[in-house]
Amino acid sequence: MRGGTSQRAKRTARLVSAGLLAGTMIAASGFAATPAHAGSAYGCTYPRVCFWTTGSPYNSNPPTASFQDTYYQTLGSRSRGADWVFNSRNDDGAKIYYADGNWVCIQPDELMYLEPYGYAVAIDIMDSPYCSY
């Protein structure tokens, strides 16, 4: 009886050691989930929403304007009527309003060509990736 208990204790100790080793390996490998992070791209630094009225972000042209405050803002001369917009924010959507009253939502880490949608006149950076209230 004593020998059986000792063998069982050894098996349990080996299983616990194996489990701890596996957990350590998973943690060290970076397998654990991490939150999404949009970040800087196309010359647009986090946490901004950047516009290009001339040139293309694909050709390494710098943005002509950027916004980071979370409220409705009228676009100025360096962003109004922009061709391109990029949202470098992590979890905030950017609602772009057009002169005709329509709007489009630029989700986090999204680059969009705006020209087909109309003439951009305002922005509202919202605490929602889908631009909902």
Side-chain angles (χ1 to χ4, degrees), residues 19-107:
L20 290 173
L21 179 60
T24 302
M25 290 174 66
I26 288 172
S29 72
F31 184 72
T34 56
H37 185 328
S40 301
Y42 308 106
C44 182
T45 57
Y46 170 83
R48 300 181 185 280
V49 177
C50 296
F51 291 84
W52 287 261
T53 54
T54 58
S56 165
Y58 288 116
N59 295 332
S60 300
N61 292 18
T64 55
S66 65
F67 294 82
Q68 69 179 25
D69 297 326
T70 54
Y71 56 86
Y72 182 92
Q73 300 168 76
T74 302
L75 299 181
S77 62
R78 297 181 352 170
S79 53
R80 191 174 39 252
D83 293 331
W84 293 91
V85 64
F86 174 69
N87 182 2
S88 73
R89 300 176 73 90
N90 287 336
D91 54 5
D92 300 330
K95 190 181 274 192
I96 308 299
Y97 293 91
Y98 295 101
D100 65 3
N102 288 320
W103 59 270
V104 64
C105 180
I106 312 300
Q107 295 180 3

Side-chain angles (χ1 to χ4, degrees), residues 6 12 15 48 58 67 72 116-117 132:
S6 177
T12 301
L15 288 173
R48 300 181 185 280
Y58 288 116
F67 294 82
Y72 182 92
Y117 298 98
S132 58

Side-chain angles (χ1 to χ4, degrees), residues 108-133:
D109 201 31
E110 182 177 14
L111 174 68
M112 183 179 280
Y113 186 59
L114 296 176
E115 192 174 273
Y117 298 98
Y119 190 79
V121 295
I123 182 173
D124 190 0
I125 299 173
M126 308 178 77
D127 189 21
S128 162
Y130 306 107
C131 301
S132 58
Y133 289 103

